[in-house]
């Protein structure tokens, strides 16, 4: 399976008037009034401030007014830097996919026709992509240093939407829907075929998949003024976005997306190289395991208290521990050790039950010792003893999970690799072209230091 090469600075002089470095797409629908001043203002700004060749592409989303004529007139007026593309179906996502997929520019961007975002943020937006530092870049209206003028209704909707993304899809970028984004073309070639939405949820889906694949997303604080004449239908857009969140969340949970093809190798910085004998991702796994363990303990105690109403302490403990153990193994499998999909799920649960047996022996033995010592202990005393016994079992459980149930894949030289960020199921088990040892052009065999797993970072969040 094809993966992305290491990021590099775009070569100087590689582009010209017919092959620009930057292609800025402006999706429009019935914008006959605003289109011309928008394009002329953007063209003037780029001509004065942008040091590379550029192109402005007007993507007409099946407009029914004179927008297509205005777009063609602008392309005829500025033939070297403006072009017009007509689509017979509506959808911002459809327009961006169509134009970006056909563009020859190495950096692709888009902005809304109202130019709500101050254009001084355009060069900071695309500079990290040109330099090879980042894969995608977004404007953020929610960054601390951003200056935003808009009504309380849109402010509430925007912040609520981003909270939903953080809570449901674990998104770490701050502003999903700001109409001011850019992407490297080599990333777009691999990423766009995975994005299903053709409307307003398109760029959110693109960002979520990119972040889950470990690509670097650069955020730029922007100055932004709301357009009171915006034609966006808020209720319909919000409904479609929520449907998209559910669809993407389900796809990520089942591991059906081939995110491994977006994997990038580390660069040539010696600090990126793996050190022999150093466990990969230990700190992150400890944090994830502790969070899952705390929630599992609360779940276990609630179940025990419920079962204790009808049965004795031994049976209540065994039943509560069994149910919580299955849930704990499933949660650690996905969240702590990054294993996706159904492959080997049954085996992992079977191994988890062995770990459960050890926990059962510790907790049941503690109850037996308590009963032998006090005869008829109080319920609160039982809970206190079980908490201590579970803490001891937790240490054993983490070691067994890390070393036996979900071991890190082995390199050819015998060292273990880091599994952060989590990949799909194929990357965890080192399938061909996935997250295991791989090379890129000019790299030595898989044991070479330059073939390390890709990093995961979102700058500026």
């Amino acid at each position: 399976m094809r993966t992305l090469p290491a990021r590099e600075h775009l070569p100087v002089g590689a582009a010209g008037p017919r092959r620009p470095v930057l292609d800025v797409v402006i999706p429009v629908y019935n914008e006959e009034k605003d289109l011309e001043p928008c394009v002329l203002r953007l063209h003037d700004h780029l001509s004065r401030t942008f040091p590379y060749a550029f192109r402005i592409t007007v993507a007409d989303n099946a407009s029914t007014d004179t927008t297509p004529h205005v777009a063609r007139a602008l392309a005829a007026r500025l033939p070297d830097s403006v072009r017009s593309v007509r689509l017979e179906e509506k959808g911002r996502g459809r327009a961006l996919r169509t134009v970006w997929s056909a563009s020859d520019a190495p950096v692709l961007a888009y902005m809304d026709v109202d130019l709500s975002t101050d254009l001084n943020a355009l060069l900071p937006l695309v500079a990290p992509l040109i330099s090879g530092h980042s894969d995608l870049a977004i404007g953020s209206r929610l960054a601390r240093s951003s200056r935003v003028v808009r009504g309380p209704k849109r402010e509430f909707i925007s912040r609520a939407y981003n909270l939903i993304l953080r809570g449901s899809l674990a998104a770490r970028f701050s502003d999903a829907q700001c109409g001011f984004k850019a992407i490297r073309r080599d990333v777009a070639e691999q990423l766009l075929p995975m994005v299903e939405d053709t409307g307003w949820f398109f760029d959110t889906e693109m960002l979520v998949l990119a972040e889950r694949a470990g690509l670097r997303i650069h955020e730029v604080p922007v100055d932004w003024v709301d357009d009171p004449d915006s034609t966006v239908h808020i209720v319909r857009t919000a409904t479609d976005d929520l449907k998209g969140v559910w669809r993407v969340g389900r796809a990520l949970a089942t591991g059906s997306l081939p995110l491994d093809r977006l994997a990038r190798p580390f660069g040539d910085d010696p600090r990126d190289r793996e050190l022999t004998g150093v466990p990969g991702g230990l700190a992150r796994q400890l944090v994830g395991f502790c969070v899952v363990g705390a929630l599992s303990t609360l779940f276990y105690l609630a179940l025990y208290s419920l079962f204790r109403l009808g049965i004795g302490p031994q049976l209540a403990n065994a039943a509560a521990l069994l149910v919580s153990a299955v849930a704990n193994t499933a949660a650690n499998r996905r969240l702590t050790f990054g294993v996706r999909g159904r492959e080997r799920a049954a085996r992992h649960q079977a191994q988890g039950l062995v770990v459960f047996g050890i926990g059962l022996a510790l907790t049941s033995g503690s109850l037996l010792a308590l009963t032998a010592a006090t005869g008829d202990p109080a319920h609160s005393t039982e809970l206190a003893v079980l908490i201590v016994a579970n803490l001891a079992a937790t240490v054993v459980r983490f070691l067994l999970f890390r070393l036996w149930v979900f071991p890190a894949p082995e390199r050819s030289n015998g060292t273990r690799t880091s599994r952060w960020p989590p990949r799909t199921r194929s990357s965890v088990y080192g399938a061909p072209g996935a997250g295991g040892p791989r090379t890129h052009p000019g790299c030595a065999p898989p044991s070479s230091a330059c073939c390390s797993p890709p990093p995961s970072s979102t700058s500026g969040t």
Side-chain angles (χ1 to χ4, degrees):
M1 181 184 296
R2 179 183 176 188
T3 57
L4 294 172
R7 285 186 299 264
E8 294 182 354
H9 194 298
L10 296 179
V12 178
R18 297 187 179 277
R19 188 178 183 274
V21 167
L22 174 66
D23 192 349
V24 183
V25 182
I26 304 177
V28 292
Y29 173 73
N30 289 348
E31 297 287 354
E32 58 184 1
K33 178 181 177 181
D34 295 333
L35 179 56
E36 182 174 353
C38 161
V39 171
L40 294 180
R41 179 183 166 195
L42 176 60
H43 183 272
D44 176 68
H45 176 83
L46 289 171
S47 299
R48 289 185 295 103
T49 64
F50 193 67
Y52 298 92
F54 65 88
R55 178 195 297 136
I56 301 172
T57 301
V58 179
D60 174 35
N61 281 156
S63 295
T64 57
D65 60 3
T66 61
T67 297
H69 302 287
V70 176
R72 288 194 293 268
L74 287 168
R77 179 176 173 181
L78 302 167
D80 292 335
S81 51
V82 177
R83 67 169 178 165
S84 172
V85 176
R86 167 75 176 181
L87 288 85
E88 299 302 330
E89 295 181 88
K90 292 179 61 177
R92 181 179 69 175
R94 178 179 288 107
L96 293 177
R97 186 201 310 276
T98 301
V99 177
W100 281 355
S101 298
S103 179
D104 58 350
V107 176
L108 312 169
Y110 95 88
M111 62 180 59
D112 294 333
V113 69
D114 55 19
L115 295 186
S116 296
T117 304
D118 181 36
L119 292 179
N120 287 328
L122 183 54
L123 184 55
L125 182 80
V126 301
L129 309 187
I130 294 174
S131 69
H133 173 270
S134 300
D135 299 293
L136 299 91
I138 64 174
S140 176
R141 299 163 295 185
L142 303 181
R144 291 185 178 180
S145 57
S146 298
R147 296 186 297 176
V148 176
V149 179
R150 61 176 168 182
K153 180 180 179 181
R154 285 183 174 269
E155 180 76 11
F156 172 78
I157 292 174
S158 179
R159 292 188 178 273
Y161 179 63
N162 282 281
L163 285 175
I164 291 173
L165 292 180
R166 287 176 177 266
S168 59
L169 299 178
R172 291 177 292 167
F173 47 84
S174 65
D175 192 352
Q177 288 286 31
C178 181
F180 196 70
K181 295 182 175 68
I183 185 173
R184 285 178 65 105
R185 188 184 63 184
D186 58 348
V187 176
E189 289 174 349
Q190 297 292 323
L191 180 56
L192 295 185
M194 302 183 199
V195 181
E196 294 185 16
D197 192 80
T198 58
W200 291 95
F201 187 69
F202 172 87
D203 41 356
T204 299
E205 184 174 356
M206 178 180 69
L207 290 174
V208 170
L209 299 186
E211 187 176 74
R212 286 299 186 96
L215 298 181
R216 182 174 291 158
I217 302 174
H218 178 76
E219 294 201 2
V220 178
V222 297
D223 298 341
W224 193 86
V225 179
D226 189 17
D227 178 14
D229 298 325
S230 174
T231 58
V232 177
H233 193 291
I234 295 179
V235 176
R236 183 173 63 245
T237 301
T239 302
D240 292 341
D241 285 347
L242 292 176
K243 291 179 181 178
V245 169
W246 168 256
R247 175 177 53 79
V248 172
R250 184 175 56 185
L252 292 173
T254 59
S256 60
L257 294 169
L259 298 181
D260 296 318
R261 69 178 59 175
L262 298 174
R264 279 198 189 275
F266 273 4
D268 294 328
D269 192 322
R271 292 171 297 179
D272 291 337
R273 299 173 184 173
E274 186 175 351
L275 300 178
T276 303
V278 177
L282 177 60
R284 188 200 65 81
Q285 290 177 357
L286 279 172
V287 172
F289 183 82
C290 289
V291 171
V292 172
L295 296 176
S296 298
T297 300
L298 294 176
F299 182 51
Y300 160 77
L301 293 175
L303 287 175
Y304 176 81
S305 299
L306 178 64
F307 293 155
R308 188 66 177 85
L309 297 176
I311 57 179
Q314 291 292 351
L315 289 178
N317 172 64
L321 198 58
L322 176 61
V323 175
S324 61
V326 172
N328 180 275
T329 300
N332 275 305
R333 182 177 187 268
R334 182 187 176 202
L335 301 178
T336 303
F337 299 97
V339 183
R340 311 283 195 214
R342 300 179 180 177
E343 186 176 343
R344 301 193 185 184
R347 175 181 174 180
H348 291 157
Q349 283 294 347
Q351 293 172 308
L353 289 178
V354 175
V355 178
F356 153 75
I358 297 174
L360 178 62
L362 287 173
T363 53
S364 296
S366 300
L367 283 176
L368 286 173
L370 177 64
T371 303
T374 61
D376 187 18
H379 181 64
S380 58
T381 305
E382 288 181 350
L383 290 180
V385 170
L386 288 173
I387 290 174
V388 174
N390 268 286
L391 289 176
T394 296
V395 176
V396 177
R397 185 181 304 119
F398 176 76
L399 293 175
L400 289 175
F401 273 173
R402 180 176 172 82
L403 301 176
W404 179 50
V405 184
F406 309 110
E410 297 285 348
R411 284 184 179 272
S412 59
N413 61 2
T415 60
R416 292 186 180 275
T417 62
S418 170
R419 264 198 311 266
W420 177 252
R423 301 286 181 199
T424 58
R425 59 179 181 266
S426 58
S427 66
V428 174
Y429 297 111
R438 60 180 176 268
T439 62
H440 54 83
C443 181
S447 59
S448 171
C450 69
C451 294
S452 300
S456 173
S457 65
T458 304
S459 59
T461 55

